[in-house]
Amino acid sequence: MAGILFLITVLAIPFISPFNHYFSIPDQVMAHSANNDIGPADASAEHVQAFGSSVFYAKQSKNRMPVQQTATEAMTQADQSALEDVEIVPGGQSLGVQLNTLGVLVVGYHQIEGENGKMSPGEEADVQVGDMILEINGKDVEDMEDVKPFVQKAGKSDEEMAITIKRDNKTFETAMEPAKDAKDKYRIGLYIRDSAAGIGTMSFYDPASKKYGALGHVISDMDTQKPIEIHNGTIVRSNVTAIDKGNSGTPGEKQAKFSNEDEKIGNITKNTPFGVFGELNKSLSNSPYDEPMPVASPDDVEEGPAKILTVLEGEEVQEFDVEVVSSVPQKYPAKKGMVIEITDDELLNETGGIVQGMSGSPIIQNDKIIGAVTHVFVNDPTSGYGVHIEWMLQEAGIEGIQQGNQAA
């Protein structure tokens, strides 16, 4: 009986699932290309390292095998193919940028001298600098003028206000009771802002769709240092009146003027790490490059001479010599893709290098748009960062780039 049981056990082992899987693991793996078999690759334990229980990579290889194409390479080729069909008009124009925030932005506290001493109702309600006030008592708040009636009404009736706050990616409610100051006015002890304005440079626009990209980096609030969440915005042409020259340790800046009453040339729908984006309502001109140009992928950018387009005086767009010192062949969207150095004597004499307000100036190399200026090195204003144009095109929603990504 013992012998029969042992024999049955031995015969049953291959059919038990864990042992079945074990015996099915091959000692060699055959790789196949499109047309022909490529010889066995050694998969013994000494050449494979495991992470956890299921992820492996080869530490070394005894056999070198041609590989048809990886998924990343296929995606890169699709992206490059899509870029080859895209042509956009380079910018360089100086812009006035006006942003309206989503709700009102809390930028600071102030203490109210009331009956019980100094206090800030907003601070006591745990409202923080950088928060967005979206609603009061269930009603949307779009600008600062919307806040005052709620505060006065709640103060006179000795009631709390229900405040809807957005902090980073979270939305929550808090209660706040206004306090009466020495002049018998009710206040909440918060400094708030509903708009922002500044200058920058147009990077490109698509003559077919009228979509554009500018600045090359996100617009942050000067007090909170956080990206501004926008409700809407507009761009206008600005006039450069003077240049504050940059020095080591002190970045320079363009001085320009524009008015809220100036003719709006486009809207702003997005404020992203790669710039501001929207659509133009009229075509731009006054540039050495008024015709559409092809664009270069990050892989195509070369170290060596290039040019930037920007404005130093009035509204005249000029081109200046720069050097691409280094470029990172990025496969995925990322900021600071290249380092550029100003080599043009006229630009160095006028500005000392890269100055504030120059952000977004398009970079051109080999008759292709390769990117835009984004940052200056504080300790060396002759040099700074640039972003690859492909990532700005994606944010702008240029049709050819979107199709390329979907195909990839």
Side-chain angles (χ1 to χ4, degrees), residues 28 40 50 70 99 105 133 147 154 206 242 246 248 256 265 375:
Q28 297 179 328
T70 66
L99 296 178
L105 176 66
I133 299 177
V147 177
D206 176 22
S248 178
I265 61 175
H375 296 77

Side-chain angles (χ1 to χ4, degrees), residues 32-46:
H32 297 275
S33 70
N35 300 316
N36 55 313
D37 293 343
I38 303 173
D42 192 337
S44 58
E46 63 179 301

Side-chain angles (χ1 to χ4, degrees), residues 238-250:
S238 69
N239 189 295
V240 179
T241 57
I243 300 288
D244 290 339
K245 193 172 182 178
N247 297 293
S248 178
T250 307

Side-chain angles (χ1 to χ4, degrees), residues 121 138 315:
E315 296 185 11

Side-chain angles (χ1 to χ4, degrees), residues 199-331:
I199 65 169
T201 303
M202 175 70 73
S203 303
F204 67 87
Y205 68 93
D206 176 22
S209 66
K210 302 299 183 185
K211 294 178 180 179
Y212 76 87
L215 272 70
H217 62 73
V218 71
I219 298 178
S220 298
D221 182 80
M222 60 183 294
D223 294 305
T224 67
Q225 300 302 311
K226 292 184 177 182
I228 296 176
E229 292 193 52
I230 67 169
H231 174 61
N232 56 48
T234 58
I235 56 172
V236 299
R237 293 292 293 264
S238 69
N239 189 295
V240 179
T241 57
I243 300 288
D244 290 339
K245 193 172 182 178
N247 297 293
S248 178
T250 307
E253 71 175 317
K254 291 183 181 182
Q255 299 290 338
K257 62 180 182 180
F258 65 93
S259 168
N260 292 338
E261 306 303 320
D262 289 343
E263 181 182 7
K264 309 296 189 291
I265 61 175
N267 63 10
I268 299 175
T269 58
K270 298 174 70 175
N271 178 31
T272 81
F274 300 98
V276 296
F277 303 89
E279 292 186 11
L280 300 176
N281 53 35
K282 61 179 294 184
S283 297
L284 297 179
S285 58
N286 194 33
S287 169
Y289 298 89
D290 279 339
E291 297 298 323
M293 297 180 64
V295 298
S297 71
D299 290 331
D300 292 333
V301 178
E302 303 173 354
E303 295 180 3
K307 294 183 181 295
I308 64 169
L309 304 180
T310 198
V311 175
L312 294 187
E313 184 177 1
E315 296 185 11
E316 181 187 1
V317 178
Q318 298 175 264
E319 64 177 22
F320 300 98
D321 293 326
V322 300
E323 185 89 3
V324 177
V325 177
S326 64
S327 176
V328 180
Q330 298 162 329
K331 303 299 182 185

Side-chain angles (χ1 to χ4, degrees), residues 40-268:
D42 192 337
S44 58
E46 63 179 301
H47 299 296
V48 177
Q49 181 166 334
F51 292 88
S53 59
S54 60
V55 182
F56 301 86
Y57 74 93
K59 294 175 63 176
Q60 60 184 23
S61 176
K62 289 184 177 180
N63 304 329
R64 295 188 177 183
M65 301 183 300
V67 179
Q68 184 180 4
Q69 190 179 51
T70 66
T72 301
E73 289 169 344
M75 183 177 294
T76 301
Q77 289 188 4
D79 288 345
Q80 289 176 338
S81 176
L83 285 173
E84 289 174 359
D85 297 330
V86 173
E87 290 192 348
I88 53 177
V89 178
Q93 297 86 356
S94 183
L95 299 177
V97 179
Q98 302 163 316
L99 296 178
N100 297 315
T101 61
L102 180 68
V104 295
L105 176 66
V106 178
V107 297
Y109 304 115
H110 72 92
Q111 299 296 311
I112 300 169
E113 187 71 56
E115 298 175 351
N116 301 318
K118 291 184 177 180
M119 52 93 69
S120 168
E123 188 173 10
E124 290 190 357
D126 194 32
V127 178
Q128 299 180 10
V129 172
D131 285 352
M132 303 292 300
I133 299 177
L134 302 181
E135 296 179 1
I136 299 179
N137 295 337
K139 303 293 185 181
D140 290 341
V141 174
E142 296 184 357
D143 54 48
M144 292 187 295
E145 294 302 318
D146 291 341
V147 177
K148 187 174 180 180
F150 289 108
V151 174
Q152 297 305 312
K153 182 179 179 180
K156 291 177 181 179
S157 59
D158 197 22
E159 296 177 348
E160 290 185 335
M161 300 184 300
I163 310 292
T164 302
I165 298 287
K166 182 176 182 183
R167 181 179 299 162
D168 299 324
N169 294 321
K170 297 181 179 179
T171 302
F172 61 94
E173 285 195 0
T174 186
M176 186 190 309
E177 184 175 350
K180 185 188 292 186
D181 65 10
K183 297 181 179 180
D184 291 335
K185 291 186 177 180
Y186 292 96
R187 303 187 182 278
I188 56 176
L190 297 174
Y191 290 112
I192 57 176
R193 182 181 298 138
D194 61 10
S195 62
I199 65 169
T201 303
M202 175 70 73
S203 303
F204 67 87
Y205 68 93
D206 176 22
S209 66
K210 302 299 183 185
K211 294 178 180 179
Y212 76 87
L215 272 70
H217 62 73
V218 71
I219 298 178
S220 298
D221 182 80
M222 60 183 294
D223 294 305
T224 67
Q225 300 302 311
K226 292 184 177 182
I228 296 176
E229 292 193 52
I230 67 169
H231 174 61
N232 56 48
T234 58
I235 56 172
V236 299
R237 293 292 293 264
S238 69
N239 189 295
V240 179
T241 57
I243 300 288
D244 290 339
K245 193 172 182 178
N247 297 293
S248 178
T250 307
E253 71 175 317
K254 291 183 181 182
Q255 299 290 338
K257 62 180 182 180
F258 65 93
S259 168
N260 292 338
E261 306 303 320
D262 289 343
E263 181 182 7
K264 309 296 189 291
I265 61 175
N267 63 10
I268 299 175

